[in-house]
């Protein structure tokens, strides 16, 4: 069997086109969605991410503002800016680009963002709401994973989903989202006794560990759907956490890296901003 390749780029493009229509409708009602990104310091990767988020907003008509603050910004200055953005009716989504410089307290900053504008879904209120199934904002990458699986036509209810990785931004929220979709969910992590064996029982395998090509052919049940969240730079090349060449021989469908989950993350951020504006 050779797996179907799940084209995240094409699916993200489809979502952006749908969102552009909604943005036009909201704009006609005088409610243009607005996303404000706060970037502190000079982290080169963060600068690239922020630029691509800004470009993606502009392409579909979302108002995008970026506050670029110097590395030496104090906690009090950053919190004052967040207060101001919380109170600004033209700002529907606030995103503080992580990681913050070491002298700043990330947790306090996330907690200061109004849960109603927390498009990243990192505020503890939104994390809790995700667990009880009432979340309005969920972390963008796992939201993109679920959307990708759904739009590929794979039914989730009743399936065994194994999530490899338990980070707060990918693994744990991915598990909660699949549970909400009525999957049977297993979470594996670095202390799991036999991760390969657990993974080989998955109908849908979600991999988010940050270990290049960790998942091999014998970790995957024939016919499984494999979603690779990993982004690793190896010898100047970007590779996932799944050994794509091997695993595509056994899976029924698989995401490539790049071009799988990556493009979905920004599409989900745009979606969250549009939904926030629509809620008013
Ligand atoms: P993280 O480092 O916060 O968490 C990694 C998780 O993997 C941990 O829970 C750890 O227990 C588990 N783990 C590590 N080694 C393991 C092993 N050998 N076996 C089993 N489990 C193991 O990482 P993260 O933030 O969740 O990111 C994971 C990967 O996804 C990274 O490559 C990251 O770059 C990528 N990522 C991609 C996107 C995207 O937009 N596509 C977004 C976020 C993260």
């Amino acid at each position: 069997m050779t797996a179907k390749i799940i084209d995240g780029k094409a699916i993200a493009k489809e979502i952006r086109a749908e969102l552009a229509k909604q943005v036009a409708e909201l704009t006609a009602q005088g409610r243009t969605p607005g996303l404000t990104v706060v970037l502190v310091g000079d982290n080169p990767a963060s600068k690239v991410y922020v630029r691509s988020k800004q470009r993606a907003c502009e392409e579909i008509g979302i108002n995008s503002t970026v506050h670029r603050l110097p590395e030496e910004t104090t906690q009090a200055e950053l919190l004052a800016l967040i207060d101001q953005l919380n109170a600004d009716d033209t700002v529907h989504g606030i995103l503080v680009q992580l990681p913050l410089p070491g002298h700043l307290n990330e947790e306090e900053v996330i907690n200061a963002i109004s849960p109603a504008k927390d498009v990243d879904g990192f505020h503890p209120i939104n994390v809790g709401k995700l667990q009880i199934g009432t979340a309005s904002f969920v972390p963008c990458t796992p939201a993109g994973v679920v959307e990708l699986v759904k739009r590929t036509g794979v039914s989730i209810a009743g399936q065994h989903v194994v999530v490899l990785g338990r980070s707060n931004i990918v693994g744990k929220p991915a598990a909660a989202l699949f549970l909400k979709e009525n999957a049977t969910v297993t979470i594996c992590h670095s202390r799991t006794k036999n991760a390969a064996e657990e993974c080989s029982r998955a109908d849908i395998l979600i991999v988010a560990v940050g270990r290049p090509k960790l998942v091999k052919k014998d970790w995957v049940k024939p016919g499984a759907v494999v979603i690779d969240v990993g982004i690793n730079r190896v010898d100047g090349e970007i590779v996932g956490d799944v050994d794509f060449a091997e695993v595509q021989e056994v899976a029924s469908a698989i995401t490539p890296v790049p071009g799988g989950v990556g493009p979905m993350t920004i599409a989900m951020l745009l979606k969250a901003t549009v939904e926030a504006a629509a809620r008013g």
Side-chain angles (χ1 to χ4, degrees):
M1 178 191 290
T2 303
K4 171 191 162 147
I5 295 174
I6 301 173
D7 187 347
K9 246 172 140 172
I11 295 174
K13 192 173 169 195
E14 194 178 288
I15 294 169
R16 289 199 306 270
E18 293 165 13
L19 290 171
K21 284 189 196 147
Q22 292 176 41
V23 172
E25 283 165 22
L26 287 164
T27 300
Q29 298 162 19
R31 278 193 291 160
T32 305
L35 174 70
T36 295
V37 177
V38 180
L39 173 63
V40 187
D42 295 312
N43 181 314
S46 293
K47 281 181 168 172
V48 173
Y49 290 138
V50 168
R51 251 199 311 276
S52 41
K53 285 168 187 171
Q54 192 175 19
R55 206 176 313 125
C57 282
E58 284 162 4
E59 268 169 27
I60 66 161
I62 292 179
N63 275 339
S64 129
T65 312
V66 180
H67 289 265
R68 292 185 172 79
L69 306 181
E71 183 85 21
E72 58 277 9
T73 301
T74 64
Q75 184 79 3
E77 284 166 340
L78 183 53
L79 293 175
L81 173 62
I82 290 171
D83 268 355
Q84 183 196 317
L85 298 172
N86 283 340
D88 183 340
D89 288 344
T90 65
V91 176
H92 301 101
I94 302 170
L95 186 154
V96 176
Q97 186 66 43
L98 302 178
L100 289 171
H103 66 282
L104 296 172
N105 179 341
E106 229 163 68
E107 192 183 346
E108 192 184 22
V109 170
I110 290 170
N111 290 356
I113 297 171
S114 161
K117 298 189 178 189
D118 167 40
V119 278
D120 251 343
F122 292 164
H123 191 289
I125 294 232
N126 287 322
V127 175
K129 281 180 147 187
L130 173 58
Q131 293 306 320
I132 49 177
T134 60
S136 27
F137 292 119
V138 301
C140 299
T141 299
V145 167
V146 174
E147 194 69 24
L148 207 49
V149 171
K150 282 187 176 170
R151 290 194 185 229
T152 305
V154 174
S155 63
I156 300 173
Q159 303 280 42
H160 185 193
V161 173
V162 176
V163 180
L164 189 60
R166 60 168 165 186
S167 71
N168 288 333
I169 64 164
V170 190
K172 280 188 216 160
L177 287 168
F178 278 105
L179 188 59
K180 187 158 184 273
E181 297 292 332
N182 298 312
T184 300
V185 179
T186 301
I187 306 176
C188 299
H189 46 81
S190 54
R191 306 287 293 273
T192 298
K193 266 194 191 144
N194 196 343
E197 196 184 314
E198 297 291 344
C199 289
S200 71
R201 284 197 274 268
D203 300 311
I204 302 171
L205 177 60
I206 313 299
V207 187
V209 288
R211 300 277 180 274
K213 299 188 184 181
L214 175 74
V215 173
K216 303 290 181 193
K217 195 171 160 174
D218 60 339
W219 293 46
V220 177
K221 178 162 87 176
V225 173
V226 179
I227 308 291
D228 187 355
V229 184
I231 300 177
N232 310 287
R233 193 173 288 274
V234 179
D235 301 329
E237 199 194 340
I238 303 283
V239 297
D241 292 342
V242 174
D243 191 327
F244 183 88
E246 271 194 17
V247 172
Q248 75 166 338
E249 291 171 19
V250 289
S252 63
I254 185 169
T255 55
V257 177
V261 175
M264 294 297 289
T265 298
I266 291 189
M268 291 299 106
L269 172 66
L270 303 176
K271 188 165 182 254
T273 306
V274 171
E275 285 171 358
R279 279 196 291 269

